[in-house]
Amino acid sequence: MAKVNISVTDEGDFIRSASRFDARITADGQSPWPVAADRYRLVVSLACPWASRALISRRLLGLESALSVAVADPIQDDASWRFTLDPQGRDPVLGISYLSEAYLAADPSYDGGVSVPAVVDIPSGMLVTNDYLRLTTDLATEWRAYHRPGAPDLYPRHLRAEIDAIVETIFDEVNNAVYEAGFATTQQAYSRAYHKLFARLDALSERLESQRYLVGDTITEADIRLFTTLVRFDAVYHGHFKCNRHKLSELPVLWAYARDLFQTPGFGDTVDFDHIKRHYYRVHTNINPTGVVPEGPDLSTWHTPHGRERLGGRPFGDGTPPSPIPEAVGRAYAALRD
């Protein structure tokens, strides 16, 4: 099992490390990494909210045939993310046992953390980027040549300023705030994160009471970024990270909003609660030293009616939902997650 290194300030506040590899894959030829089908492999953990953003975006945009995916074991060891879900413990495309091998191929002297999502150049085996903040907007904009017919515009130009502003707030006060609460090492640091988180959730509840989506009348990048925290809230953050003023299921507006997205093709069909719970409860031994994984919560409630249709909105705008996951692919995907 991995020994997770958490950085905190002298006051006990959690510090998130910046992405060390931030190259961009672009369509304009200005980057050494051009957009190309079948050249790159997206490495994810189904447990990780940052990686889940990329999985959702990839599915909504129909990039499955252009950008393949490697799924890491949710339980890390000291070498971090590993491919023990695959035969012989190696990713069948990259031929590596650990994601760290791609990091070292990019920089042999690298001795920092290994994170997902990560995009690896298949021919060279080198890590291109682990910049989770930028990756999904690039999938929405730079990879347009490979979007499926009817793909939604997840980052519409006329709404970008508004999307950028709200996702910055969501990152600071929701996505990262749950970690700040969970990894705080003083009561004061925990209290700051706790109150910041729930103040923002209250504000988001107020915003979403009268509109179906965060920005405009369609699903955008902003909704993806909020969803990946909300879907983990009751299973992990409420108990494990002590974000326990309320469960998500006790916040009527956000609970309905999250269920609406979960039941939208491309969202819930990328979620794996087993991987989520096993990762957090077994890897974070500083918080849960026994490694016991809780049985709950009841996941059937994610499929209950949400009533958000009354607010109108067009989930995919002028586009269409992604096709159902093909049965053969679905079986292989499910087997990989077991």
Side-chain angles (χ1 to χ4, degrees):
M1 192 175 299
K3 297 176 182 176
V4 178
N5 295 316
I6 304 300
S7 298
V8 295
T9 67
D10 292 341
E11 291 75 33
D13 295 285
F14 167 70
I15 304 172
R16 180 169 296 282
S17 300
S19 297
R20 161 67 174 77
F21 298 87
D22 59 0
R24 293 182 60 199
I25 300 169
T26 63
D28 61 8
Q30 300 302 306
S31 165
W33 304 105
V35 170
D38 302 321
R39 174 167 177 176
Y40 305 100
R41 192 149 170 86
L42 173 64
V43 180
V44 301
S45 162
L46 301 178
C48 172
W50 321 106
S52 290
R53 296 176 177 183
L55 278 177
I56 293 169
S57 295
R58 172 179 174 269
R59 174 133 166 70
L60 292 176
L61 297 170
L63 289 169
E64 293 96 333
S65 61
L67 179 63
S68 65
V69 162
V71 178
D73 193 310
I75 309 301
Q76 299 153 280
D77 66 14
D78 285 342
S80 195
W81 299 108
R82 53 189 182 158
F83 297 108
T84 47
L85 301 178
D86 294 298
Q88 289 79 53
R90 288 185 174 274
D91 178 75
V93 173
L94 299 173
I96 58 177
S97 298
Y98 291 93
L99 178 56
S100 58
E101 296 174 53
Y103 277 65
L104 292 173
D107 180 359
S109 65
Y110 181 70
D111 63 356
V114 176
S115 65
V116 291
V119 180
V120 179
D121 177 52
I122 296 172
S124 68
M126 295 170 53
L127 175 73
V128 177
T129 181
N130 66 349
D131 186 358
Y132 62 93
L133 291 173
R134 183 80 201 195
L135 175 57
T136 49
T137 53
D138 278 350
L139 292 180
T141 56
E142 300 295 330
W143 287 75
R144 284 185 182 275
Y146 297 102
H147 289 183
R148 64 180 175 85
D153 188 351
L154 299 176
Y155 194 48
R157 190 173 296 277
H158 69 289
L159 294 176
R160 287 181 187 177
E162 187 177 358
I163 291 171
D164 290 347
I166 196 167
V167 299
E168 182 176 357
T169 300
I170 288 170
F171 175 81
D172 290 335
E173 301 180 16
V174 180
N175 301 148
N176 201 48
V178 293
Y179 286 86
E180 291 175 338
F183 292 134
T185 57
T186 67
Q187 190 68 40
Q188 293 78 10
Y190 162 73
S191 183
R192 283 192 292 271
Y194 172 96
H195 289 290
K196 175 173 66 174
L197 167 66
F198 281 100
R200 180 51 52 191
L201 291 181
D202 288 343
L204 289 168
S205 290
E206 184 175 348
R207 181 186 184 101
L208 288 164
E209 190 168 11
S210 58
Q211 61 188 70
R212 190 170 180 184
Y213 304 111
L214 282 169
V215 181
D217 67 347
T218 65
I219 291 166
T220 67
E221 178 80 15
D223 299 294
I224 295 171
R225 295 194 183 205
L226 180 56
F227 173 79
T228 58
T229 293
L230 295 183
V231 79
R232 288 162 173 77
F233 205 90
D234 288 3
V236 175
Y237 302 142
H238 177 270
H240 186 57
F241 278 176
K242 300 181 285 293
C243 299
N244 62 353
R245 192 196 77 180
H246 290 96
K247 296 177 181 177
L248 175 67
S249 57
E250 296 167 344
L251 299 172
V253 173
L254 288 179
W255 176 223
Y257 166 80
R259 297 199 319 279
D260 185 5
L261 291 176
F262 184 88
Q263 294 169 30
T264 299
F267 283 83
D269 53 23
T270 68
V271 173
D272 190 303
F273 286 107
D274 173 63
H275 276 218
I276 290 168
K277 292 196 299 181
R278 284 197 290 131
H279 170 75
Y280 282 90
Y281 284 100
R282 291 190 59 191
V283 171
H284 299 157
T285 54
N286 56 326
I287 299 175
N288 186 41
T290 64
V292 172
V293 180
E295 296 287 343
D298 177 7
L299 301 180
S300 66
T301 55
W302 280 97
H303 299 280
T304 58
H306 51 75
R308 298 280 293 177
E309 303 93 339
R310 64 180 174 77
L311 296 174
R314 302 173 301 140
F316 301 98
D318 295 328
T320 59
S323 300
I325 297 174
E327 185 177 357
V329 174
R331 284 198 302 270
Y333 183 62
L336 191 62
R337 297 185 296 177
D338 288 343

